[in-house]
Each structure stands twice: as structure tokens, then as C-alpha cells.
Amino acid sequence: MRTDFAVVVPAYDEAEVIADTVVALRDAFERYGLDGEVIVVDDGSRDDTARIATEAADGWSAFRLFRHRVNLGKTEAMLTAAARTTRT
């Protein structure tokens, strides 16, 4: 089984859909026995994206969240995730 991968989710004002996204990813990881990580980068959201994502993950060890104070754009969110992944 591969363990050297990360799923990156750049998120900006995604409060309405982020819980469903996190739950679907967790379900897929469990169903297929995946052992990578999921990194959500809240890119300066003005809503509750980070809080909702964290609550949806509910202690899931594969889940990590990082936040930008302001919106820097999708590319910067992807770079933030790449710099912080523990998978090489």
C-alpha cells in the first residue's frame, strides 16, 4: 500500500461544502485502506471553513489544516500544503 501521498484541498469560503468534502475523503480512505494524508489549506476564508473542516475531521489522524490570514490564491495554498506535507 502506498503511504507517500497527500490529498490537498485549497479552500476559500467553502463553509457550505467543506464538511461533505472531508467526510467523503475520510470515507474513501477507510473504504480503500489508504494511508496518506489530507491537507486542507484555508486560504483566508471569511466564513467558518476552518472550524467546520476540523469538526468534520473529528480527530482523524490523516487530516491536517493550515490557514492563511488573508486570501493568497490557489497556487499559494498548494505551495503551503506541499511545504508542510509529511509524505515525501
Side-chain angles (χ1 to χ4, degrees):
M1 171 187 344
R2 292 192 65 148
T3 60
D4 60 346
F5 72 94
V7 175
V8 176
V9 181
Y12 176 69
D13 288 346
E14 299 291 345
E16 291 184 26
V17 297
I18 196 66
D20 290 341
T21 301
V22 171
V23 168
L25 285 166
R26 187 175 194 167
D27 288 347
F29 270 58
E30 290 171 0
R31 184 177 322 117
Y32 298 107
L34 302 176
D35 192 29
E37 67 183 345
V38 172
I39 300 174
V40 172
V41 179
D42 179 358
D43 189 29
S45 294
R46 299 166 297 184
D47 61 10
D48 287 328
T49 296
R51 180 186 59 77
I52 293 168
T54 302
E55 288 174 2
D58 190 28
W60 181 26
S61 63
F63 176 85
R64 299 173 69 205
L65 178 112
F66 299 98
R67 298 181 79 177
H68 292 165
R69 289 180 182 234
V70 297
N71 181 264
L72 300 175
K74 189 182 296 184
T75 299
E76 288 299 321
M78 300 293 281
L79 291 172
T80 293
R84 288 171 175 80
T85 185
T86 61
R87 309 301 170 141
T88 55

